[in-house]
């Protein structure tokens, strides 16, 4: 078994990083080369701005190269709870931003010729318990009537041709898509470079200073200056940006991938070939890879660490979860096991805007593979002074009480959700 991301292992290496010293003055310096940072850099460079991307590791090293590969439309929350928390107007705007995000990615993939198996697969939100189906049905009625007619409610009987496991029904969101995340992130970096963005890898920003209308960003390889800074560091945000560290809780999420399944195994497990998410609080998400592996993820443990040791422990839990759902795969080998950090906010809504002199977009809370590209571009437009399309502009973002960067409270949160799952 390989302890590395399947997406990292099966994508080409980005060849466009600039070697030599990190130096120069730029209109915009983007910190972080995941989907947010690279989409912003491409958009800014296309508009003629002089852009530098500073990445601590390699492009796509963070969540963008480690996720489950789902481009699901709609909100992770129920639409009903989003309306209650955000008000109707903002809930609808955010719902539609997720739809637009998938259209945006589809357009970039076509325009830049990125070979990443983008496919409108549709998503199933699967009811793990009979009572969960009632909640899914209530949410479906509101979604279907008010914001997304491209949805359907499937009964347990309807699911027979979709999935070889006894779920109690599902909501189908037809606009949802999937793609090869590693090939997309490298394609996005190539496109940004083609449009003129300068990318520095192994260039962790360790100091940020501001004065006289310009920023100075120091890395071990040198210093750049810039008129604007976009912080696109998500769950990996460094301590120098304390404002964000007090508002983002970095939580591990973990994934295993089987060997490629045979056609008979697929027919017995995932004949619908969609992205699938279960309805438990500590649930699972899964899909087939382009080479027919089952990519199966979940929170598994409430850990703030993702390294080989932590990923292996989570991988064992995930294998047990996988066999609960698909006992027919009991003899199938696991080829990959990896993890990454998710940038959670307290209310699980993302945040983007301008604070303390810097622009930012982050806090996707495990539902950002699509929105990160879109919000990166929206923030690029804001930097360029264009019309502001930010669906979450001005959304209040208080610090998490008692949180200064290391989430000591995660085991308690895990216990809380485990208890909910037992009784709900
Ligand atoms: C295991 C897992 C599964 C997921 N599954 C899904 C899914 O199926 N669907 C979905 O919608 N979302 C999913 N997500 C979430 C999604 O992947 C993220 O929301 C999205 O990739 C965020 O992109 P980003 O560019 O904002 O952040 P990232 O991709 O994390 O990029 C941030 C970058 O900043 C860099 N950085 C940090 N500090 C510095 C510094 N000081 N200097 C320079 N660079 C720095 C990091 O190295 C990193 O490369 C998942 C996440 C994980 C971890």
């Amino acid at each position: 078994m390989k302890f590395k991301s399947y997406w990292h292992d099966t994508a080409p290496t980005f060849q466009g990083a600039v070697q030599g010293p990190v130096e120069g003055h730029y209109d915009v310096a983007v910190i972080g080369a995941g989907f947010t940072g690279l989409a912003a850099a491409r958009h800014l460079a296309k508009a003629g701005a002089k852009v530098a991307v500073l990445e601590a590791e390699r492009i796509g090293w963070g969540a963008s190269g480690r996720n489950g590969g789902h481009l699901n439309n709609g909100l992770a929350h129920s639409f009903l709870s989003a309306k209650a928390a955000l008000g109707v107007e903002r809930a609808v705007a955010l719902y539609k931003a997720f739809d637009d995000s998938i259209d945006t990615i589809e357009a970039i993939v076509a325009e830049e010729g990125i070979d990443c198996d983008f496919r409108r697969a549709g998503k199933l939100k699967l009811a793990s318990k009979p009572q969960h189906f009632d909640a899914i049905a209530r949410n479906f009625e509101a979604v279907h009537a008010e914001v997304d007619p491209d949805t359907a409610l499937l009964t347990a009987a309807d699911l027979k041709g979709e999935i070889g496991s006894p779920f109690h029904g599902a909501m189908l969101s037809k606009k949802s898509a999937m793609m090869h995340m590693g090939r997309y992130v490298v394609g996005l970096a190539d496109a940004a470079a083609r449009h003129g963005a300068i990318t520095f890898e192994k260039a962790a920003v360790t100091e940020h200073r501001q004065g006289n209308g310009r920023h100075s960003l120091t890395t071990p390889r040198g210093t750049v200056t810039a008129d604007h800074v976009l912080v696109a560091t998500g769950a990996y945000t460094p301590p120098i940006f304390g404002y964000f560290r007090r508002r983002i809780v970095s939580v591990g999420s973990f994934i295993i991938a089987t060997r490629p399944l045979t056609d008979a195994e697929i027919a017995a497990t995932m004949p619908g070939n969609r992205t699938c998410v279960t309805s438990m609080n500590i649930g699972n998400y899964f899909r087939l890879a382009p080479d027919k592996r089952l990519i199966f993820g979940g929170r598994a443990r409430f850990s703030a660490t993702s390294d080989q040791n932590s990923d292996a422990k989570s991988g064992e839990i995930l294998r047990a979860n996988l066999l609960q759902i698909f006992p027919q795969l009991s003899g199938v080998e696991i080829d990959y096991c990896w993890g990454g950090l998710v940038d959670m906010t307290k209310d699980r809504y993302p945040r983007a805007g301008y604070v303390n002199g810097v622009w930012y977009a982050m806090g996707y809370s495990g539902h950002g593979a699509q929105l990160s590209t879109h919000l990166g571009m929206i923030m690029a437009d804001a930097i360029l002074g264009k019309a502001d399309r930010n669906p979450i502009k001005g959304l209040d973002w208080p610090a998490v009480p008692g949180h200064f960067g290391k989430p000591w409270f995660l085991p308690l949160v895990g216990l809380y959700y485990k208890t909910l799952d037992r009784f709900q």
Side-chain angles (χ1 to χ4, degrees):
M1 179 162 52
K2 292 183 181 178
F3 285 99
K4 73 186 294 194
S5 157
Y6 165 77
W7 309 121
H8 285 161
D9 199 40
T10 54
T13 305
F14 174 59
Q15 303 290 349
V18 173
Q19 309 301 321
V22 173
E23 60 188 8
H25 179 78
Y26 299 86
D27 297 325
V28 187
V30 175
I31 310 177
F35 299 145
T36 305
L38 291 170
R42 170 185 169 273
H43 200 61
L44 287 160
K46 262 185 93 177
K50 195 175 171 206
V51 186
V53 180
L54 300 164
E55 165 56 46
E57 298 290 341
R58 308 291 309 266
I59 68 108
W61 179 87
S64 300
R66 296 166 182 271
N67 56 62
H70 300 210
L71 298 174
N72 293 330
N73 74 307
L75 304 168
H77 306 67
S78 88
F79 183 57
L80 297 170
S81 65
K83 283 199 298 183
L86 304 175
V88 178
E89 204 179 317
R90 204 194 283 277
V92 170
L94 191 55
Y95 193 104
K96 294 216 177 282
F98 278 95
D99 287 359
D100 292 346
S101 300
I102 302 172
D103 294 344
T104 302
I105 291 172
E106 190 170 31
I108 291 175
V109 165
E111 188 183 329
E112 303 291 356
I114 301 175
D115 173 18
C116 63
D117 292 299
F118 176 94
R119 187 168 74 84
R120 292 273 181 177
K123 166 202 163 187
L124 291 174
K125 171 82 182 255
L126 295 158
S128 301
K129 297 183 182 180
Q131 62 270 33
H132 292 188
F133 183 66
D134 300 339
I136 287 176
R138 276 196 304 279
N139 185 47
F140 162 77
E141 274 163 31
V143 167
H144 191 75
E146 295 175 45
V147 74
D148 188 359
D150 279 342
T151 46
L153 191 65
L154 307 186
T155 63
D158 298 330
L159 281 180
K160 289 267 182 305
E162 291 284 353
I163 189 157
S165 186
F167 284 97
H168 302 274
M171 175 166 140
L172 170 63
S173 301
K174 298 178 192 169
K175 290 189 193 119
S176 294
M178 57 168 78
M179 66 179 173
H180 189 300
M181 295 292 173
R183 286 198 250 132
Y184 174 70
V185 80
V186 172
L188 201 55
D190 284 336
R194 265 197 310 279
H195 292 296
I198 303 291
T199 301
F200 297 101
E201 293 183 319
K202 293 283 174 194
V205 175
T206 52
E207 193 181 352
H208 170 224
R209 285 200 213 152
Q210 294 184 66
N212 301 326
R214 61 163 57 183
H215 301 258
S216 159
L217 297 169
T218 304
T219 79
R221 290 174 49 200
T223 297
V224 298
T225 56
D227 296 337
H228 298 274
V229 165
L230 174 67
V231 182
T233 45
Y236 299 88
T237 297
I240 54 169
F241 292 110
Y243 176 89
F244 302 116
R245 293 266 294 195
R246 285 194 294 276
R247 286 159 174 81
I248 293 286
V249 179
S250 300
V251 187
S253 194
F254 305 93
I255 301 186
I256 52 177
T258 66
R259 64 148 165 78
L261 300 183
T262 63
D263 289 347
E265 285 164 341
I266 289 173
T269 53
M270 295 281 286
N273 199 356
R274 303 188 190 274
T275 61
C276 295
V277 180
T278 68
S279 59
M280 304 297 280
N281 288 299
I282 307 180
N284 294 108
Y285 47 90
F286 43 96
R287 57 159 282 191
L288 294 171
D291 65 358
K292 302 183 179 176
R293 297 169 193 282
L294 183 62
I295 298 188
F296 187 93
R299 186 109 319 133
R301 291 154 56 248
F302 275 69
S303 163
T305 312
S306 170
D307 55 25
Q308 183 164 330
N309 184 30
S310 173
D311 296 356
K313 281 188 201 157
S314 302
E316 279 171 32
I317 297 170
L318 287 175
R319 176 150 175 88
N321 295 159
L322 185 150
L323 294 184
Q324 259 169 8
I325 295 175
F326 297 123
Q328 56 273 50
L329 294 183
S330 65
V332 169
E333 298 81 9
I334 304 298
D335 281 355
Y336 290 90
C337 174
W338 74 94
L341 299 182
V342 166
D343 48 346
M344 302 296 288
T345 58
K346 190 160 170 274
D347 58 12
R348 296 187 296 125
Y349 291 106
R351 297 298 195 280
Y354 182 77
V355 72
N356 298 340
V358 298
W359 302 88
Y360 64 93
M362 59 178 73
Y364 304 105
S365 303
H367 194 50
Q370 58 311 71
L371 193 65
S372 47
T373 291
H374 193 60
L375 267 190
M377 289 168 67
I378 287 176
M379 296 324 292
D381 274 343
I383 293 170
L384 292 166
K386 294 191 179 166
D388 194 346
R389 297 178 291 131
N390 181 359
I392 40 176
K393 188 177 180 186
L395 186 60
D396 193 27
W397 196 14
V400 178
H403 174 50
F404 299 95
K406 291 217 164 88
W408 53 269
F409 42 82
L410 276 187
L412 299 175
V413 177
L415 201 61
Y416 171 72
Y417 283 119
K418 255 187 206 151
T419 312
L420 275 190
D421 276 341
R422 197 163 302 149
F423 296 109
Q424 277 188 340

